[in-house]
Amino acid sequence: ATVVTQGVRPGIISDSLVVSSDESGGYDAVAPVAQQQVDGLRFDVLAPETIPEGAVLTLTTTVTNTSDSQTINDIFLHGNVFNATYNSGPPNCTVDNGGEGGATFDCPSGGTGYSLAPGASLDFTTRVNTAGLGDQTIFWEDYATTPDIGGFSYSESGSVDVTADEGDAAPSVSIV
């Protein structure tokens, strides 16, 4: 048998199996062809452009299987924020606010990843502390890995500016 992989590019795996046979031995020729295509994972993250200092920043992420026909198994989701800490992460996830590269979360916290049927989605929300971060930027990233699509990471990243809390300004008095 000869296996030929065709049309492989980031985000898509196309496998083509070609079987050839030698008919000289008196056996009938067999040449089945099978194809599998897995399109990948799409991330949609809802995040504001700015947030006032002290308000809780909510990042809502939807991960969708974009394949029309293939379930994607063993999906592990990860995320991090730089210059901030998490107030909370998604259920059944591990949150670590003490990491060197910033606060992180890993989902699920167990050994078996998520499975998404064709077109199915998974939603999760993280809440980020913005206290003391006025006039700074919080950078965030969410990504996923799965052996079903070659172990590649699919990611989405962005940033949110934190506006300084000006508070109530003291009244000004001018004497003329």
Side-chain angles (χ1 to χ4, degrees):
T2 304
V3 177
V4 179
T5 303
Q6 305 173 24
V8 176
R9 59 190 161 138
I12 295 180
I13 294 176
S14 299
D15 295 327
S16 178
L17 174 63
V18 178
V19 178
S20 58
S21 63
D22 180 359
E23 296 178 42
S24 64
Y27 297 100
D28 293 333
V30 179
V33 175
Q35 287 192 313
Q36 175 187 26
Q37 180 171 327
V38 178
D39 291 331
L41 298 172
R42 183 182 73 226
F43 281 79
D44 296 303
V45 179
L46 298 175
E49 288 184 26
T50 63
I51 191 164
E53 178 183 358
V56 175
L57 170 60
T58 300
L59 300 172
T60 303
T61 303
T62 302
V63 179
T64 304
N65 176 350
T66 60
S67 173
D68 291 332
S69 60
Q70 296 295 313
T71 296
I72 299 176
N73 298 300
D74 232 8
I75 302 167
F76 289 89
L77 304 172
H78 313 278
N80 49 25
V81 289
F82 304 98
N83 197 30
T85 57
Y86 288 110
N87 282 349
S88 64
N92 302 318
C93 299
T94 303
V95 174
D96 179 4
N97 281 322
E100 271 186 48
T104 62
F105 72 86
D106 298 296
C107 303
S109 55
T112 302
Y114 300 109
S115 291
L116 287 175
S121 297
L122 174 65
D123 297 317
F124 61 99
T125 300
T126 55
R127 289 178 177 75
V128 179
N129 179 14
T130 65
L133 298 177
D135 293 326
Q136 297 184 47
T137 301
I138 296 173
F139 296 94
W140 56 266
E141 177 184 36
D142 292 331
Y143 63 99
T145 58
T146 173
D148 275 7
I149 41 184
F152 291 112
S153 289
Y154 293 83
S155 65
E156 182 75 20
S157 60
S159 62
V160 177
D161 292 325
V162 181
T163 57
D165 180 11
E166 301 298 330
D168 294 329
S172 62
V173 176
S174 61
I175 300 175
V176 181

